[in-house]
Amino acid sequence: KQEVTQIPAALSVPEGENLVLNCSFTDSAIYNLQWFRQDPGKGLTSLLLIQSSQREQTSGRLNASLDKSSGRSTLYIAASQPGDSATYLCAVRSYSGAGSYQLTFGKGTKLSVIP
Amino acid sequence: DTGVSQDPRHKITKRGQNVTFRCDPISEHNRLYWYRQTLGQGPEFLTYFQNEAQLEKSRLLSDRFSAERPKGSFSTLEIQRTEQGDSAMYLCASSLGVGPNTEAFFGQGTRLTVV
C-alpha cells in the first residue's frame, strides 16, 4: 500500500526566504506526482505535475523535483511571500488495482510566511 | 471553463438525516473522483467514475454512501443516515484521459458538519 509522508508538518519563515518542502513515498512505482496548495477551508489548487519520466518542473517561483528511485520529491519556493502561506500537499498516482490509478496524499506541510 | 464546481459549499445537518452533494467537472473531462478530507489529514479516495461507469470504490465508502454520474456529466454523492464521523470536507476532482498520466483538478469542496 502506497504511503506518502511530508516533512515538516509545519514551517514558519520570514518573508523573502527560500524554502524547501519534502515529500517521500514508499512505493516507487508511480506514474506521476502532483503538488497542491490548499488555503484554509478551501479546495486544492494544482501547482505542479511531474511525470515519472521527468526530474523536475518549474512554474514561476516554484520548482519541484522528483527522484523516483529513492521515493522523494521536493518543492522549492523562492523568495517567499506572505501570500504563499497555505498548506502544501503532495500526492502520487500509482496503480491501485482493477485497472485503476489513484492519488495518495500526504498530510501536508502548513507554511506560514511572516511579513 | 470555470473549473470543477461543487454545491453546496457548506452543509450543516442533524445526525440521521440524508444529504446529497453535487459536482460539475471540467467540461469534457471523462474522469471524476470523490475524496474525503478530515481536519489535519490529506484527502482520502472514495470513488471514481470514467464517464458514467463507477469503476472503483474505496473501503471507506460504506453502504450509507452512494455516488452516481448519470450521462457521464455531473455527479452526486449521497450520504444516508449521517453520523458525526461523516463530518469532513468532501472534494471532487476531474481529469481528462484514459491512462495514468493525467492531471487532477479539484473543486472547492463541500464542508459537511453533522450535529
Side-chain angles (χ1 to χ4, degrees):
Chain A
K1 178 187 174 186
Q2 180 73 266
E3 293 182 0
V4 179
T5 302
Q6 291 188 246
I7 294 174
L11 181 64
S12 183
V13 300
E15 181 178 2
E17 269 203 10
N18 303 325
L19 59 100
V20 174
L21 307 181
N22 296 292
C23 171
S24 61
F25 45 95
T26 54
D27 184 352
S28 62
I30 66 167
Y31 292 92
N32 59 45
L33 182 146
Q34 265 184 279
W35 281 94
F36 295 90
R37 169 186 172 136
Q38 186 173 33
D39 293 291
K42 305 289 187 179
L44 277 61
T45 300
S46 180
L47 298 174
L48 289 164
L49 169 72
I50 310 178
Q51 301 293 355
S52 61
S53 58
Q54 297 175 321
R55 297 284 293 183
E56 64 180 309
Q57 281 286 340
T58 298
S59 176
R61 295 182 293 109
L62 305 180
N63 176 276
S65 67
L66 173 63
D67 185 341
K68 185 181 164 185
S69 60
S70 68
R72 296 184 181 187
S73 176
T74 61
L75 179 66
Y76 175 84
I77 302 178
S80 58
Q81 303 171 357
D84 295 332
S85 297
T87 295
Y88 290 80
L89 292 157
C90 167
V92 297
R93 187 176 297 280
S94 47
Y95 185 66
S96 57
S100 184
Y101 310 86
Q102 299 308 333
L103 285 174
T104 302
F105 283 83
K107 294 183 179 181
T109 293
K110 185 175 182 180
L111 173 66
S112 298
V113 181
I114 312 302
Chain B
D1 192 341
T2 57
V4 179
S5 177
Q6 293 189 244
D7 183 71
R9 293 292 308 279
H10 304 275
K11 178 70 176 180
I12 300 175
T13 190
K14 292 183 178 180
R15 189 177 54 181
Q17 297 293 305
N18 300 342
V19 294
T20 300
F21 310 140
R22 176 179 170 124
C23 171
D24 287 89
I26 293 173
S27 178
E28 298 184 359
H29 275 196
N30 56 331
R31 293 177 169 177
L32 186 147
Y33 312 82
W34 286 99
Y35 289 81
R36 181 172 70 186
Q37 185 180 27
T38 54
L39 201 61
Q41 303 295 313
E44 295 175 292
F45 170 74
L46 291 179
T47 190
Y48 149 64
F49 291 85
Q50 180 152 312
N51 300 311
E52 66 275 10
Q54 188 174 17
L55 296 186
E56 187 177 358
K57 293 191 286 187
S58 161
R59 288 173 295 174
L60 294 175
L61 210 67
S62 76
D63 56 6
R64 296 185 297 106
F65 288 68
S66 62
E68 295 182 343
R69 192 183 183 198
K71 302 179 183 178
S73 56
F74 71 92
S75 175
T76 58
L77 178 67
E78 180 183 16
I79 309 175
Q80 296 182 326
R81 305 181 302 281
T82 52
E83 302 172 355
Q84 286 189 323
D86 297 331
S87 296
M89 174 79 88
Y90 290 84
L91 294 161
C92 176
S94 70
S95 67
L96 178 65
V98 294
N101 295 318
T102 59
E103 183 173 7
F105 296 89
F106 281 76
Q108 290 298 298
T110 294
R111 167 74 66 188
L112 173 66
T113 302
V114 181
V115 298

